[in-house]
Amino acid sequence: MSQTHTAPLHTSFEGIARLRESMASVYMGNIEAIDRLIRCLLARGHMLIEDVPGVGKTVLATSLARSLDCAFSRIQMTPDLLPADVLGVNVLDMKSGSFEFKPGPIFANIVLADEINRTTPRTQTALLEAMGEATVSIDGITRQLESPFMVVATQNPHDFEGTYPLPENQLDRFLMRMSLGYPDANVEADILEQRPSQAHLHNIHAVATRAQVSHWQDATDSVRLDRSLIDYIVAIAEATRNDDELTLGLSTRGSLALSQAARASAMLRGRDYCIPEDITENLHIVVGHRILARSYSSRDDIAQQVLDRIIHRVPSPA
């Protein structure tokens, strides 16, 4: 590691470690989920958390937001929600006779879109430009969203009543998709005893500023990805495109997402270079929702099985 990068990298690593500790004081027992959310933040991505109600999806997202000195908004996605309720609207000022823009909750640094698949496809689509370009266009005027900008969306499983499945182009805007699962018995007992979401969540103090988060993201962009690792990602993408069980393989945008997630993994561990494990540990959560199996039954399971085979079949760089 070069001497010029050691001090800034060390400072960033310490700051990220404080963020990790702050989130773990509220969201207990699943440090892997915390690490994934932080990696997504470092990579300038958006996170989709899919699981049954009551396993802490909202608590995890809120713990991140409250640990950062950034603007935070929460949108409860309901069937009657309109795009203007999310993006904002132009309102006529009767005194001046001109229109004044009233920004919606999307104009924040960390946006929690709770139960995103309970709102209509029309409102889901309203998020596409914001998530893809960090801009919002209303009545012919494009407005830039402030950096950092991250959407953390939660959703219930598709077979739950009253849900609208996210279309593929919407899913592709999420850098990662993950499930949380149930805690083990000991962790659940600690949660019942300490009730961290009630006792600690509202008392969390920010451990990083908006400028620090932007610095971490810039440092992540600078993490070195060797050509052999780039070729490894390309080989994985080609393997998904040629698999007989898939109708849709990994796109070039998906390959870019996997490379950026690998850089974030290295950054989280205090390295300014990537190793093969940085790619493989992100494969399922970055690629799984971007590929489509031919069979509609147990589609996600088949996709994960295909990725397992690809990891073993595609040679990893030494």
Side-chain angles (χ1 to χ4, degrees):
M1 189 181 298
S2 63
Q3 187 175 0
T4 56
H5 289 92
T6 302
L9 185 66
H10 180 70
T11 302
S12 297
F13 178 71
E14 288 181 341
I16 295 169
R18 287 193 298 271
L19 172 61
R20 192 172 185 251
E21 182 180 351
S22 176
M23 295 174 64
S25 69
V26 174
Y27 186 74
M28 301 170 59
N30 192 346
I31 197 67
E32 182 180 17
I34 292 174
D35 285 349
R36 287 173 173 177
L37 192 56
I38 293 176
R39 294 204 307 264
C40 195
L41 173 70
L42 296 176
R44 305 178 194 270
H46 308 289
M47 171 66 81
L48 178 62
I49 307 175
E50 180 184 74
D51 219 316
V52 296
V55 295
K57 301 187 296 294
T58 302
V59 171
L60 175 60
T62 307
S63 71
L64 172 67
R66 292 188 179 275
S67 297
L68 301 175
D69 186 18
C70 294
F72 170 61
S73 67
R74 176 176 176 176
I75 310 170
Q76 190 62 48
M77 310 294 276
T78 56
D80 60 347
L81 197 71
L82 298 175
D85 297 327
V86 176
L87 304 180
V89 64
N90 287 311
V91 178
L92 178 63
D93 187 331
M94 300 300 294
K95 291 182 179 180
S96 65
S98 60
F99 284 93
E100 180 182 357
F101 179 67
K102 299 292 185 182
I106 197 68
F107 285 85
N109 300 118
I110 308 293
V111 178
L112 171 58
D114 218 357
E115 297 185 299
I116 189 173
N117 60 339
R118 287 200 179 278
T119 197
T120 62
R122 180 187 177 194
T123 304
Q124 291 174 5
T125 304
L127 293 170
L128 284 177
E129 180 189 354
M131 295 175 64
E133 310 295 334
T135 59
V136 171
S137 297
I138 298 176
D139 295 339
I141 299 176
T142 299
R143 293 175 172 85
Q144 187 73 37
L145 297 171
E146 288 189 357
S147 179
F149 173 68
M150 180 182 189
V151 173
V152 181
T154 70
Q155 72 170 5
N156 296 319
H158 294 156
D159 54 355
F160 270 49
E161 186 177 353
T163 59
Y164 299 86
L166 294 178
E168 279 71 28
N169 61 340
Q170 179 75 56
L171 282 172
D172 194 47
R173 295 304 193 277
F174 289 99
L175 178 71
M176 299 178 181
R177 183 185 70 172
M178 70 172 173
S179 297
L180 301 180
Y182 292 108
D184 64 38
N186 291 330
V187 172
E188 188 163 7
D190 290 339
I191 293 172
L192 296 180
E193 182 178 28
Q194 299 181 30
R195 293 177 292 178
S197 63
Q198 299 178 26
H200 305 307
L201 183 58
H202 298 291
N203 296 322
I204 287 182
H205 297 291
V207 296
T209 65
R210 187 172 62 185
Q212 285 175 305
V213 174
S214 295
H215 172 72
W216 298 344
Q217 292 175 336
D218 290 341
T220 301
D221 292 339
S222 300
V223 170
R224 190 171 74 254
L225 187 66
D226 190 79
R227 180 54 190 253
S228 64
L229 296 178
I230 293 176
D231 292 340
Y232 183 43
I233 292 174
V234 172
I236 290 172
E238 290 183 339
T240 65
R241 298 163 192 165
N242 297 321
D243 195 285
D244 293 336
E245 290 195 67
L246 300 179
T247 59
L248 181 66
L250 186 63
S251 67
T252 302
R253 179 160 57 189
S255 297
L256 286 167
L258 184 56
S259 66
Q260 192 67 3
R263 290 186 173 95
S265 285
M267 184 70 184
L268 184 64
R269 291 169 174 80
R271 285 186 273 105
D272 64 351
Y273 60 92
C274 289
I275 59 176
E277 287 77 9
D278 295 328
I279 297 170
T280 55
E281 78 166 343
N282 285 293
L283 190 62
H284 288 276
I285 59 174
V286 173
V287 178
H289 60 287
R290 302 173 188 271
I291 58 178
L292 287 180
R294 293 186 182 278
S295 173
Y296 280 88
S297 61
S298 62
R299 171 181 282 186
D300 287 339
D301 291 338
I302 293 174
Q304 299 302 328
Q305 291 167 12
V306 168
L307 292 177
D308 285 336
R309 289 203 308 269
I310 287 174
I311 288 177
H312 290 95
R313 188 169 73 237
V314 177
S316 172

